[in-house]
Amino acid sequence: MAAVADATAPVATTRGRVGRPVVVAAILVVWLLLFAVFRGRGTLTLAAADLTGLHRWLNDVNDSIGANRNSNPLFLYFFNEIRLAIDNLVTFVQSLISQPTGARPVPQIGWLGVVGLVGYVSWAVGNWRVALLAAAGFTFFGLQGLWQESMDTLALTLSAVLVALLIGIPLGVWAGLSDRFNRIMTPFLDFMQTMPTFVYLAPLTLIFLIGGASAVITTVIYAAPPAIRITAHAIRSVPRTTVEAADSLGTTRTQQLVKVLLPMSKRTVVMGVNQTIMAALAMVTIAALIDAPGLGKTVVQALQSLDVGTAFNAGLAIVVMAIVLDRVTTAAAARTETRRSGDGRFTRWRRPLLGAGAVAALVLVYLSHTYVWTAEFPGDGTVGGHIASAADTATGWLQDHVSGLTNALRDALTNGLLNPFQTLLTDSPWWLVGAVLVGLGAVLGGRWAAVTAAVCVGLLVGTGLWSDSMTTLASTAVATVLVMLLGAVVGVWMGRSALADRLIRPTLDAAQVMPPFVYLVPFLALFGATRFTAIVAAVVYAAPVAVKIIADGVRNVPEATVEAATSAGCNTWQIITKVQLPMARSALTLATNQGLIYVLSMVVVGGLVGAGALGYDVVAGFSQGELYGKGLAAGLAIVLLGVMFDRITQAAARRTRA
C-alpha cells in the first residue's frame, strides 16, 4: 500500500491545493460574463483593403529603400554584396544541374550525370540500398515531368545548406566549448526556431528583394539553428573522462577539438546536417511565395487556382525529395557510428568498388555534359500527367461520394467549436481579451510569462491587425486542442505498447520530413478551400511531434510505479488517468508547446487555401504592392503570437517539472 501511495502522491498533492485549473476556470467564467455585457465594443476591426498609419509608413519605408538601394552605403557595401555573393552561388549551382547558361541550351550536368552522382554519393556515405532509393527517386522526378523544377529546388536547398553549415557548425563548436557563448546564443536560437517559416519572408524581401537569392538567405536563417544547437550538444556530450585523458597527455585545445571532440561527436553532427537539410527543403518550398523557383512555385500556383492534380504531382515530388535526402543523411549518420560498410563479406572490397563507382559516375557526368540525349530527360512526363489526372479523378469521386460526410464533419467542427470561439475572441473588447491572456500567462507560466503576454498584446494592438490576429488565434487554439487529443490517445497507446510504437513511429518519422505545403493538398481535395482545410492540415502536420513527446513521457514513468498501481487493483483506465498521465505532465506541457508552434506555422500557410486572417494578409502583401506594409505587420503579429504561446507554455513546463 505504501508503494501505491507513492504512485498517487503527485495526484493527491495537486488535488490538495486550490490549483491552477480552478483559477483558469474562474478567468474563463469572468470572460464569458463580461463578453455578454461588452460584446461588439472595442473590437478594433479593420477591413481587408484598409490600411493603418503603421501600414502606410511601412509602405513608405519599402519605397524609400527601393529608391535608395543603390546609393545608400549600408546597402551598397553590405546588403547588396551579401545578395550578390549568394546570387552568384545560386546561379553557379543552378548552372550545374538545373538552368542553361550562356549559349548552352542545357545545364552543365544533365539528368543522367545527376542521377549517377546522386547514386554514387548515396552509396559512398550510406549503403547500396539508399543509393538505389536515391537513383530511383531522382529518375522519378523526370518521369513526372518535373525534372527542372526538382533540380531548381535541389539547387536552392544545397546552396542554403552549404552556407548554413559553414555558419552553423563553427558557431555550434564555439557554443559547445564556451558556456558563456552558449548562454548568449540560446535565446536567439529559441526565438529563431519559435517563429513560423512564413515570417522570415517579408522583412528579408525588404532588404534583399524577391528571387532565389532572398530565398536562400531566408532559408539559411531558418536552417542554421538546428546545426548550431545539435553541434553544440554533440560537443558537450563527449564524456568528460575522455577530455581529461586527452588533457593529461598534454594536448592543446585545438588538438582536443580535432582529435577527440569532433571525431567522437561526428554521428550527432551528421544528424544535425540531416535536420538542417530538412529545414532548408521545407523553407525553400515556402519561399516560392517570394518568387523562388522550383517545386514550391508549382504547388503555390496550383493551390491558388485550386488545381489539386498539379499540386498533388508536385507535392509528391517534394515528398520523394525529402525522403531521399533524409534517408541518405540518416544512413551517413549510421555509418559514422558503426564504421562498418554494411556490405557483409564485401567489406574488404568496398574501397576498390567505390573507386570503380567514382569512375562510372564521372563517365555519366561526361556523357550528360556532352550529349543532348543524356542531358535532357527523355519523354514528356506522361507519368506526372497520369498522376495529376488520377488525383483529379479521386478528388471528383470524393466530392461526389464523400462530400456528405466531409461536409458534415467540417460543419460540425466549424459551427460547434470554431465559430463560437472565434466570435468570443473577435467580438470581445480588445482590452478584455488582453486581460484574459495576461491572466492565463500569470496562472500557467508565472510573472514573466504574464509580462511577455502583456507586451505581446500591446504590440498586437499596435500592428492594427487585432481582429485578424484573434481569428488566427481561434484557428490555432482549436487545432491545438485537436492535436493534443490525438496526441494523448496515440501517444499513450505507443507509450504502453512496444508493438504499437514499432508500427507507428516510422510513419510519424516519415510525416515529419514532409514540408508544410504538402499537407494542404489532400485536404484541399476533401474539404475545399476553407478554414477547416487549414485546421485539419495543421493537426496532421503537428500531431507527429506531439504524439512522440507524449509517448516518450508515458514510457518514462517508472515501471515499479505502474506495477504498484496494478497490484493495488487499478484497472487500465485508472492507471492511465491516475498514474501515467499525471506523472507525464511535463511531457504533456512540452507537447502542447511544440504543437502550438507547429499549428501556428501551418494555420498561417493555410492562408493559401482560404484560412484568411493573418495568413491572407501576408500572402496579399507579397502579391499586391499597396498591401506590403500590412503584410509585414501581419508577419510581426504572427511572431508575437508565437512568442506569447512559446513563453507561456515553456514557463508552464518548467513549473510542472519543479
Side-chain angles (χ1 to χ4, degrees):
M1 294 300 294
V4 177
D6 291 340
T8 58
V11 180
T13 302
T14 301
R15 288 177 176 174
R17 12 172 148 96
V18 178
R20 281 173 282 183
V22 175
V23 181
V24 169
I27 291 174
L28 297 179
V29 169
V30 172
W31 182 13
L32 291 173
L33 293 175
L34 293 177
F35 170 75
V37 176
F38 295 103
R39 180 175 183 176
R41 305 178 191 175
T43 58
L44 304 182
T45 303
L46 184 70
D50 290 345
L51 301 176
T52 67
L54 173 65
H55 305 160
R56 295 188 184 91
W57 179 77
L58 291 172
N59 282 340
D60 292 340
V61 170
N62 183 39
D63 294 338
S64 176
I65 289 176
N68 298 285
R69 186 178 301 276
N70 295 321
S71 58
N72 185 291
L74 182 61
F75 280 87
L76 193 60
Y77 300 110
F78 184 66
F79 291 130
N80 288 358
E81 292 298 320
I82 293 175
R83 187 179 189 280
L84 179 62
I86 297 296
D87 192 52
N88 287 336
L89 173 63
V90 173
T91 302
F92 171 72
V93 178
Q94 285 182 312
S95 70
L96 286 179
I97 61 175
S98 66
Q99 296 285 347
T101 54
R104 193 178 163 81
V106 292
Q108 296 294 328
I109 304 176
W111 77 271
L112 190 60
V114 171
V115 171
L117 280 176
V118 167
Y120 173 73
V121 171
S122 302
W123 178 34
V125 302
N127 54 61
W128 64 269
R129 296 180 184 85
V130 173
L132 288 178
L133 173 66
F138 273 65
T139 303
F140 182 63
F141 299 148
L143 296 175
Q144 288 181 282
L146 295 171
W147 178 260
Q148 181 169 329
E149 292 87 345
S150 300
M151 292 305 99
D152 279 329
T153 296
L154 181 64
L156 294 179
T157 302
L158 292 178
S159 301
V161 168
L162 175 62
V163 178
L165 294 180
L166 287 175
I167 297 172
I169 290 180
L171 289 178
V173 171
W174 189 3
L177 296 174
S178 169
D179 291 336
R180 176 181 296 178
F181 184 70
N182 187 58
R183 287 194 298 270
I184 293 172
M185 287 297 298
T186 297
F188 291 100
L189 298 177
D190 288 343
F191 181 74
M192 292 168 70
Q193 292 191 294
T194 299
M195 289 198 297
T197 53
F198 238 66
V199 176
Y200 290 91
L201 301 179
L204 288 173
T205 56
L206 182 66
I207 299 173
F208 298 107
L209 300 176
I210 64 173
S214 295
V216 170
I217 294 169
T218 304
T219 304
V220 168
I221 295 174
Y222 180 71
I228 299 172
R229 263 192 206 280
I230 295 176
T231 301
H233 171 72
I235 297 295
R236 291 176 175 274
S237 298
V238 175
R240 175 57 53 186
T241 54
T242 303
V243 179
E244 291 173 352
D247 190 52
S248 67
L249 294 174
T251 57
T252 64
R253 291 289 297 269
T254 302
Q255 289 173 326
Q256 286 183 14
L257 177 63
V258 175
K259 301 293 185 181
V260 179
L261 295 174
L262 287 178
M264 294 193 68
S265 58
K266 187 183 296 183
R267 179 182 184 273
T268 305
V269 172
V270 175
M271 290 307 298
V273 174
N274 171 276
Q275 294 301 303
T276 300
I277 291 174
M278 292 299 101
L281 180 60
M283 192 68 204
V284 161
T285 55
I286 292 176
L289 292 169
I290 56 173
D291 204 32
L295 294 168
K297 193 170 187 177
T298 303
V299 174
V300 169
Q301 291 173 346
L303 289 175
Q304 290 175 335
S305 61
L306 303 182
D307 184 352
V308 175
T310 300
F312 182 84
N313 187 43
L316 181 60
I318 295 173
V319 171
V320 171
M321 183 173 292
I323 291 173
V324 169
L325 295 177
D326 178 64
R327 291 301 92 195
V328 170
T329 49
T330 301
R335 178 170 294 283
T336 61
E337 180 184 31
T338 62
R339 306 301 298 173
R340 295 193 302 266
S341 67
D343 291 330
R345 60 192 176 90
F346 296 108
T347 300
R348 61 178 179 169
W349 297 103
R350 178 170 175 79
R351 285 192 177 181
L353 289 173
L354 284 176
V359 172
L362 290 175
V363 169
L364 293 179
V365 170
Y366 171 77
L367 291 174
S368 69
H369 178 76
T370 307
Y371 300 102
V372 174
W373 64 271
T374 56
E376 294 180 345
F377 198 93
D380 54 359
T382 54
V383 171
H386 292 318
I387 292 173
S389 178
D392 286 332
T393 301
T395 300
W397 185 90
L398 289 172
Q399 291 173 347
D400 291 339
H401 296 84
V402 191
S403 59
L405 177 61
T406 57
N407 290 345
L409 177 62
R410 180 191 66 199
D411 294 341
L413 183 63
T414 301
N415 297 326
L417 184 59
L418 178 59
N419 285 347
F421 186 51
Q422 181 174 313
T423 299
L424 179 63
L425 283 167
T426 57
D427 287 4
S428 293
W430 70 268
W431 52 265
L432 176 57
V433 178
V436 169
L437 292 173
V438 173
L440 292 177
V443 173
L444 298 175
R447 179 178 58 187
W448 290 112
V451 171
T452 301
V455 172
C456 290
V457 166
L459 293 176
L460 281 172
V461 173
T463 64
L465 296 171
W466 177 262
S467 183
D468 284 354
S469 299
M470 292 304 99
T471 301
T472 297
L473 174 58
S475 298
T476 302
V478 169
T480 303
V481 169
L482 297 177
V483 166
M484 292 306 298
L485 290 175
L486 181 61
V489 172
V490 181
V492 168
W493 183 23
M494 290 173 59
R496 291 175 52 84
S497 170
L499 176 61
D501 188 87
R502 286 196 302 271
L503 293 175
I504 298 173
R505 192 171 289 269
T507 302
L508 300 179
D509 292 339
Q512 284 192 279
V513 307
M514 291 194 292
F517 271 169
V518 176
Y519 289 90
L520 291 175
V521 178
F523 298 110
L524 178 64
L526 281 172
F527 302 108
T530 65
R531 291 175 300 163
F532 184 74
T533 300
I535 289 175
V536 176
V539 171
V540 177
Y541 177 60
V545 65
V547 168
K548 290 201 288 187
I549 292 172
I550 294 173
D552 292 340
V554 171
R555 189 179 301 106
N556 289 334
V557 173
E559 188 64 31
T561 303
V562 178
E563 291 175 356
T566 303
S567 64
C570 295
N571 57 33
T572 301
W573 177 253
Q574 289 172 325
I575 291 173
I576 293 173
T577 58
K578 303 296 184 182
V579 178
Q580 290 177 312
L581 286 180
M583 295 188 71
R585 284 194 303 270
S586 61
L588 291 171
T589 309
L590 179 60
T592 304
N593 171 272
Q594 293 300 297
L596 272 168
I597 299 305
Y598 275 68
V599 163
L600 181 60
S601 177
M602 192 64 193
V603 166
V604 173
V605 174
L608 292 169
V609 292
L614 295 177
Y616 171 81
D617 293 333
V618 173
V619 175
F622 291 132
S623 58
Q624 304 176 43
E626 67 275 11
L627 296 179
Y628 179 84
K630 191 173 185 178
L632 199 61
L636 175 60
I638 296 166
V639 173
L640 294 170
L641 289 175
V643 169
M644 182 168 58
F645 291 152
D646 182 66
R647 293 300 95 185
I648 291 174
T649 51
Q650 282 204 24
R654 287 192 295 269
R655 295 181 70 177
T656 300
R657 287 193 294 269

